[in-house]
Amino acid sequence: MTIKDIAKECGFGLGTVSRVINNQPGVSEQTRKAIQAVIDKHNFVLNQNAKRLKELEHKNIVILVKGTSSPLLTGILECIQKQIESLPYTANVVILDEYDNEAQVASRIFYEQKPLGFIFLGGSPDVYKEDFSKIKIPCVVISNQAHDVENCNLSSVSIDDRKAAEFATTQLIQNGHKKIGIIGGDLKSSELTKRRFQGFLDAMKANGLSFDEEKQYVVAKYSFESGASAAKTLLRQYPDMTAIFSMSDVMAIGAIRSLHDEGFSVPEDISITGFDGLPFCDYYCPKITTIRQLKDELANKGLSALLDSMEQQKPSTHTLVPFEFVQGESVKNIRE
């Protein structure tokens, strides 16, 4: 026996029967009694689980994760999923390649699934401005800035990557390092990478140090394998370097592996810094000197911004959260 069977037997529409079953107003007392008599006759009980699943079909939040090997984004994702479990929403996670256009993917998903909102983890809104401007439902970018995109539906929560990179580079310089190589992302396709690179250049310029991008910069994906490969290339291109600024912790750890294989010790021969402050960096040997992003705060503020927009129609916001510098064991003072 289903609600359709009840409606057929009593001769009323599905909407009217549904209002009676759910004890909602808008039904006359006479009609209510007639429908209730059929319900009682068959001892009909509404399947609440089925009802909830039906409701949740229309309360979906899509989370697009940019990059397949980022422990930081994975950590933020776990925080968000845990929070959504206690909310009247479902979460659909979509994993993208580092170079995919996530705004175009979101547009396709919108027409297929009609979600209430999007969360972009590691997106590139500055690169795909035109595509992001077309998204007409609430969305938030977490771990990247989106203030330059003209879209009243788009919020963002991140650290100030430029300032963080400048701070980390300054620490290397204060420890006596002037010949510094970089392992970073693709400057053509990643605004986040551009901001970290600009922060590096800010520190170099402030200290009167020159930089040869062709020799001192190697492009890599944000992964262990790519960091390892980039370190070998950097050794060939810039053999007299004393330090490496890596744009992620996984790049740094991959680089350390390659340096060790090539006969170099960290930090005795070459110092290295990471970026993200992943928990396992505290247990790596040597402990990685890095910039820590507060993933719980990024997740909380990002989800709150999205819910405020979805539920209260609040305007988009662009929030910068603090970062922390972690003094590890991977940088040697060579001033002496």
Side-chain angles (χ1 to χ4, degrees):
M1 177 66 67
T2 68
I3 188 172
K4 289 184 179 180
D5 297 323
I6 296 291
K8 184 177 181 180
E9 182 169 334
C10 66
F12 293 100
L14 281 173
T16 303
V17 174
S18 176
R19 285 194 290 274
V20 173
I21 291 174
N22 290 285
N23 197 29
Q24 295 174 342
V27 182
S28 70
E29 189 60 30
Q30 183 179 358
T31 299
R32 189 179 296 275
K33 287 181 178 180
I35 294 173
Q36 190 62 52
V38 177
I39 292 173
D40 293 341
K41 173 184 174 182
H42 295 286
N43 294 316
F44 177 79
V45 177
L46 182 65
N47 187 329
Q48 294 294 336
N49 288 332
K51 178 186 174 184
R52 176 172 170 76
L53 288 173
K54 187 67 176 177
E55 291 174 345
L56 289 178
E57 285 180 5
H58 305 289
K59 292 189 175 183
N60 187 30
I61 295 173
V62 175
I63 307 173
L64 295 101
V65 185
K66 191 75 174 288
T68 58
S69 58
S70 171
L72 173 66
L73 298 185
T74 300
I76 295 174
L77 174 63
E78 290 174 353
C79 292
I80 292 173
Q81 287 179 309
K82 188 173 295 185
Q83 292 186 57
I84 289 179
E85 286 178 359
S86 63
L87 300 173
Y89 303 104
T90 57
N92 177 25
V93 179
V94 178
I95 306 297
L96 305 177
D97 184 76
E98 193 171 310
Y99 299 127
D100 283 344
N101 181 334
E102 65 275 11
Q104 286 186 355
V105 175
S107 296
R108 174 178 55 78
I109 291 174
F110 173 75
Y111 287 108
E112 293 174 353
Q113 302 181 21
K114 296 296 188 294
L116 294 178
F118 286 110
I119 296 175
F120 298 92
L121 299 184
S124 305
D126 290 327
V127 175
Y128 306 118
K129 284 184 181 181
E130 184 176 342
D131 295 305
F132 266 98
S133 67
K134 298 175 183 177
I135 299 175
K136 302 304 181 183
I137 62 172
C139 48
V140 60
V141 175
I142 301 177
S143 81
N144 205 346
Q145 298 179 46
H147 59 282
D148 289 337
V149 180
E150 294 183 5
N151 184 342
C152 61
N153 296 302
L154 179 62
S155 296
S156 63
V157 179
S158 70
I159 66 168
D160 189 330
D161 286 280
R162 181 169 177 171
K163 288 293 183 184
E166 180 184 11
F167 191 94
T169 306
T170 299
Q171 300 306 304
L172 285 173
I173 296 171
Q174 289 179 348
N175 277 279
H177 298 280
K178 298 180 180 180
K179 299 177 180 180
I180 306 171
I182 297 184
I183 297 175
D186 185 356
L187 293 167
K188 296 179 181 178
S189 64
S190 171
E191 284 295 321
L192 180 144
T193 295
K194 288 181 183 178
R195 281 192 287 273
R196 292 182 185 179
F197 182 47
Q198 189 57 57
F200 171 87
L201 293 178
D202 291 343
M204 296 290 280
K205 182 178 180 180
N207 288 275
L209 299 176
S210 60
F211 181 78
D212 182 345
E213 182 178 338
E214 186 174 343
K215 180 171 69 173
Q216 295 174 243
Y217 192 105
V218 177
V219 175
K221 283 191 172 185
Y222 287 78
S223 68
F224 294 110
E225 297 83 1
S226 198
S229 176
K232 292 181 180 179
T233 302
L234 197 54
L235 283 171
R236 292 194 300 269
Q237 293 181 181
Y238 195 32
D240 54 342
M241 65 181 172
T242 65
I244 299 174
F245 169 64
S246 297
M247 292 194 185
S248 76
D249 290 337
V250 292
M251 286 174 168
I253 290 174
I256 292 174
R257 177 71 256 178
S258 281
L259 292 173
H260 176 79
D261 292 344
E262 297 295 325
F264 294 90
S265 177
V266 176
E268 285 75 15
D269 301 316
I270 297 177
S271 293
I272 192 164
T273 62
F275 203 109
D276 288 337
L278 301 174
F280 56 70
C281 289
D282 290 339
Y283 301 95
Y284 191 78
C285 188
K287 180 179 177 181
I288 306 297
T289 296
T290 186
I291 294 292
R292 176 179 290 146
Q293 300 200 58
L294 307 178
K295 65 178 178 64
D296 289 350
E297 188 167 357
L298 288 167
N300 294 340
K301 290 186 180 297
L303 183 57
S304 293
L306 181 68
L307 295 178
D308 285 346
S309 183
M310 284 170 40
E311 299 174 349
Q312 303 177 43
Q313 292 73 54
K314 288 188 176 181
S316 61
T317 58
H318 300 285
T319 305
L320 294 177
V321 302
F323 62 84
E324 297 177 351
F325 178 72
V326 179
Q327 182 65 63
E329 303 163 342
S330 61
V331 175
K332 179 181 179 181
N333 188 331
I334 63 171
R335 283 192 175 278
E336 293 80 5

